[in-house]
């Protein structure tokens, strides 16, 4: 048996996150297939996977942050981004409080869909207990759980019992109108089973798993839509996978090995629920007594799913809940300490976003239309599945302005906000959303090379032909997209796009965040940096002057087209100044400028 954590500590949290991600990766398609409530949109498994992926990444970042490092920024470091070239001399370990808080925060900012948002609150509830326990030498946080007042610490098993209880309670509080037969029921059953169990973490986790499994099997009897479809609740099935990973963390063996897949589905008229489910435009339809019926509770539900992160005070969030509850349904608001994840289904998506603006600062806004042409919605009876496109382009873009530009050119986009690079799961989701047999993937960032490669490999296992063009900047992606021709052979199109991207030199103008050593010398915090092909080439004090110097150096080697992408913080006159510079000094060179939005860099420059 492989070595397993012997105590509830940061390493156990890290192990749990990794195992949960693997478990959801294996079960994702199965969970997507049985997703019929609250909307039969076939993405619960994917949403849960992306939520846990974000949690696991946050925990890994905390462990990386505890590494003891020495050295100075080297030639490969970017003073603007804070990246450094270092020598690792040793490693420290985060505390339990550090790890569980990172897990909860990562899940909160990465939560997707109804079930993912609830899972984020479950993890946050656990973190509230475990972080307090870790910081107070095992203090109970106000509950003794059988311990006397003179006892100063919980055992690990006691702490885990309390954490599971707090998780279930806080998740119910986050949902505007809790419904039995859902993931909330499964979470409550897990907490109750754990509460009645004495022993170490492994014993408690196994008991929680068994309680959840029994509750999951009973969900079709609690929710009519599940009974009609002959399936268990998809969110509850995902939580069961997460709890199985928790048990495996402390025992070395999954309690569900060899039986979960065969037992968690109910049977309708002797037919296995999963094999009896068909999908029209991605929505579950099930054969019950020989009649094909929609598994959606009704055809007149809200038209949009609206989600966003929100920076707001508690009092403002309370008012937001009341307003959103009047606008729609499936309302879940999770978080705290000034940061919240908001999820609601509503007909008026604009009003749902405006409510967030009134409460605080919403960002990462996602609006999904449950429309006739969307994979989230049921078609008419007998309507064939939506035909796949032959070819599509999926691109990562650094700002809202470029996202619009790429979308106008026909690309499916993934927004990468400053300091928030997309995970591989988000890229895979975008490939699925493109709904094409062939996909050209443009990462537009050298640091996303491995992430994009992992996403491409996953998409290939799903039968999609994917070509990854290693674009290192959004301006290279623009050049590639300009020569894209879906009508020609796939290989020829990829070669042409790769050639166009490779022939485009790229640069950016940014502000240094701290003192650092660069290829151009030592810069100070606040200096303006001009980076050409990823390396600092110019250090200046004026944005426009630095940009002009960078552009001159790039055009010294020749060029036919200059592309400028302006960030929100770039001077308003910089584009006109650079265009005039090109027009006056470089014959037969054209210039085009775009607004990139909040993209991190002040200015992106491409020269073809």
């Amino acid at each position: 048996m492989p070595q397993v954590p012997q105590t509830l500590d940061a390493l156990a949290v890290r192990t749990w996150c990794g195992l949960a991600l693997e478990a959801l990766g294996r079960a994702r398609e199965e969970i997507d297939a049985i997703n019929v409530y609250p909307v039969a949109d076939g993405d619960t498994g994917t949403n849960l996977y992306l939520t846990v992926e974000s949690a696991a990444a946050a925990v890994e970042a905390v462990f990386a942050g505890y590494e003891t490092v020495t050295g100075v920024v080297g030639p490969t470091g970017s003073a603007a981004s804070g990246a450094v070239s270092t020598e690792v001399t040793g490693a420290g370990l985060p505390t339990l409080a550090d790890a569980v808080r990172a897990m909860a925060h990562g899940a909160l900012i990465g939560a997707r869909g109804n079930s993912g948002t609830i899972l984020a609150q479950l993890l946050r509830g656990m973190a509230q207990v475990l972080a307090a326990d870790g910081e107070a030498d095992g203090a109970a946080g106000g509950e003794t759980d059988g311990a006397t007042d003179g006892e100063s610490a919980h055992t690990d098993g006691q702490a885990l019992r309390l954490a599971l209880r707090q998780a279930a309670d806080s998740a119910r509080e986050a949902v505007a109108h809790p419904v039995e037969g859902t993931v909330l029921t499964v979470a409550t059953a897990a907490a109750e089973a754990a509460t009645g169990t004495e022993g170490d973490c492994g014993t408690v986790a196994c008991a929680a798993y068994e309680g959840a499994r029994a509750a999951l099997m009973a969900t079709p009897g609690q929710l009519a839509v599940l009974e009609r479809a002959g399936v268990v609740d998809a969110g509850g099935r995902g939580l069961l996978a997460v709890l199985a990973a928790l048990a495996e963390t402390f025992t070395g063996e999954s309690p569900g090995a060899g039986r979960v897949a065969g037992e968690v589905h109910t049977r309708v008229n002797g037919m296995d629920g999963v094999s009896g489910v068909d999908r029209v435009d991605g929505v579950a339809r099930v054969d019950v007594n020989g009649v094909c019926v929609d598994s959606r509770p009704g055809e007149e539900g809200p038209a949009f799913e609206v989600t966003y992160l929100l920076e707001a005070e508690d009092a403002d969030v309370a008012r937001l809940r009341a307003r959103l509850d009047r606008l729609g349904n499936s309302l879940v608001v999770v978080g705290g300490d000034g940061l919240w994840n908001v999820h609601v289904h509503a007909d008026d998506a604009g009003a749902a976003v405006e409510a967030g603006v009134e409460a605080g600062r919403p960002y990462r806004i996602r609006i999904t239309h449950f429309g006739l042409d969307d994979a989230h919605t049921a078609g008419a009876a007998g309507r064939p599945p939506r035909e796949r496109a032959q070819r599509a382009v999926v691109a990562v873009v650094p700002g809202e302005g470029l996202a619009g530009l790429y979308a106008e050119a026909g690309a499916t986009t993934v927004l990468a906000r400053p300091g928030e690079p997309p995970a591989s799961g988000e890229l895979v989701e975008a490939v699925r959303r493109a709904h094409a047999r062939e996909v050209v993937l443009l990462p537009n960032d050298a640091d996303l090379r491995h992430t994009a490669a992992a996403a491409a490999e996953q998409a290939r296992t799903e039968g999609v032909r994917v070509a990854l063009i290693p674009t290192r900047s959004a301006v290279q992606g623009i050049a590639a997209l300009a020569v894209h021709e879906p009508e020609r052979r796939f290989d020829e199109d990829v070669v042409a796009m790769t050639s166009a991207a490779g022939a485009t030199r790229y640069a950016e103008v940014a502000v240094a965040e701290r003192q650092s050593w660069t290829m151009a010398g030592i810069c100070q915090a606040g200096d303006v940096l001009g980076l050409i092909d990823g390396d600092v080439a110019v250090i200046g004090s004026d944005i426009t002057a630095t940009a002009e110097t960078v552009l001159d150096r790039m055009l010294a080697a020749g060029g036919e087209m200059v592309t400028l992408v302006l960030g929100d913080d770039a001077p308003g006159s910089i584009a006109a100044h650079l265009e005039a510079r090109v027009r006056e000094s470089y014959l037969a060179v054209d210039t085009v400028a775009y607004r990139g939005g909040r993209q991190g860099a002040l200015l992106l420059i491409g020269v073809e």
Side-chain angles (χ1 to χ4, degrees), residues 543-607:
I543 296 172
T544 301
T546 301
E548 182 177 315
T549 302
V550 168
L551 185 55
D552 284 340
R553 291 195 183 186
M554 296 178 74
L555 286 173
E560 298 176 356
M561 170 68 75
V562 172
T563 300
L564 306 174
V565 182
L566 285 72
D568 281 346
D569 296 328
S573 62
I574 191 170
H577 180 89
L578 295 178
E579 288 173 348
R581 174 68 177 173
V582 172
R583 186 169 55 252
E584 294 168 1
S585 303
Y586 302 96
L587 297 177
V589 177
D590 295 324
T591 304
V592 60
Y594 303 106
R595 285 285 174 183
R598 192 166 69 93
Q599 62 184 21
L602 296 170
L603 175 69
L604 300 178
I605 303 174
V607 174

Side-chain angles (χ1 to χ4, degrees), residues 69-154:
V69 296
T70 60
V72 297
V73 176
T76 59
S78 168
S81 65
V84 294
S85 175
T86 58
E87 176 185 358
V88 178
T89 60
L93 291 177
T95 64
L96 172 62
D98 291 330
V100 294
R101 282 175 178 154
M103 174 185 69
H105 181 73
L108 177 66
I109 64 174
R112 298 295 186 90
N114 188 284
S115 294
T117 307
I118 293 173
L119 177 60
Q121 186 69 359
L122 288 167
L123 296 180
R124 177 178 171 81
M126 294 186 70
Q128 287 174 332
V129 171
L130 297 179
D133 189 73
E135 289 183 338
D137 296 324
E143 182 176 344
T144 63
D145 195 29
T148 66
D149 293 338
E151 293 175 342
S152 62
H154 283 136

Side-chain angles (χ1 to χ4, degrees), residues 123-399:
L123 296 180
R124 177 178 171 81
M126 294 186 70
Q128 287 174 332
V129 171
L130 297 179
D133 189 73
E135 289 183 338
D137 296 324
E143 182 176 344
T144 63
D145 195 29
T148 66
D149 293 338
E151 293 175 342
S152 62
H154 283 136
T155 64
D156 285 347
Q158 287 175 319
L160 186 56
R161 286 198 297 272
L162 288 171
L164 291 168
R165 179 77 269 168
Q166 175 64 19
D169 292 345
S170 62
R172 280 187 176 271
E173 292 172 0
V175 177
H177 302 285
V179 175
E180 296 306 326
T182 65
V183 62
L184 297 176
T185 303
V186 176
T188 298
E192 291 174 349
T195 300
T197 302
E198 296 293 333
D200 59 12
C201 284
T203 303
V204 172
C206 287
Y209 169 84
E210 291 296 340
R213 190 179 73 87
L216 179 64
M217 294 291 290
T219 56
Q222 297 173 291
L223 206 53
V225 64
L226 300 179
E227 185 175 24
R228 290 198 302 269
V231 295
V232 295
D233 179 66
R237 171 66 181 92
L239 178 59
L240 189 68
V242 173
L243 291 173
L246 180 64
E248 185 177 358
T249 297
F250 295 106
T251 65
E253 297 180 356
S254 174
R259 72 175 182 179
V260 173
E263 292 187 9
V264 297
H265 305 298
T266 60
R267 301 173 69 86
V268 177
N269 296 330
M271 181 176 62
D272 178 73
V274 170
S275 64
V277 172
D278 186 19
R279 287 192 171 266
V280 177
D281 283 353
V283 175
R285 299 173 65 83
V286 62
D287 188 352
V288 180
N289 293 324
V291 179
C292 190
V293 297
D294 280 339
S295 59
R296 181 173 9 209
E299 289 296 334
E300 298 182 358
F304 297 96
E305 178 186 57
V306 181
T307 63
Y308 48 81
L309 293 179
L310 178 70
E311 294 177 357
E313 299 298 326
D314 290 6
D316 296 320
V317 171
R319 289 190 291 270
L320 173 67
R321 289 178 192 267
R323 180 171 176 184
L324 292 179
D325 193 28
R326 293 191 297 269
L327 282 174
N329 59 32
S330 296
L331 173 61
V332 186
V333 181
V334 304
D337 302 319
L339 181 62
W340 308 82
N341 192 308
V342 179
H343 171 281
V344 67
H345 293 174
D347 282 321
D348 192 341
V353 174
E354 288 172 6
V357 173
E358 292 181 4
R361 187 180 79 87
Y363 60 102
R364 277 198 183 181
I365 300 168
R366 293 171 58 89
I367 299 174
T368 301
H369 180 215
F370 300 137
L372 290 177
D373 294 326
D374 194 281
H376 291 75
T377 250
R383 175 183 170 183
R386 180 164 60 96
E387 182 67 20
R388 284 182 176 270
Q390 181 59 35
R391 190 174 309 158
V393 175
V394 172
V396 180
V397 291

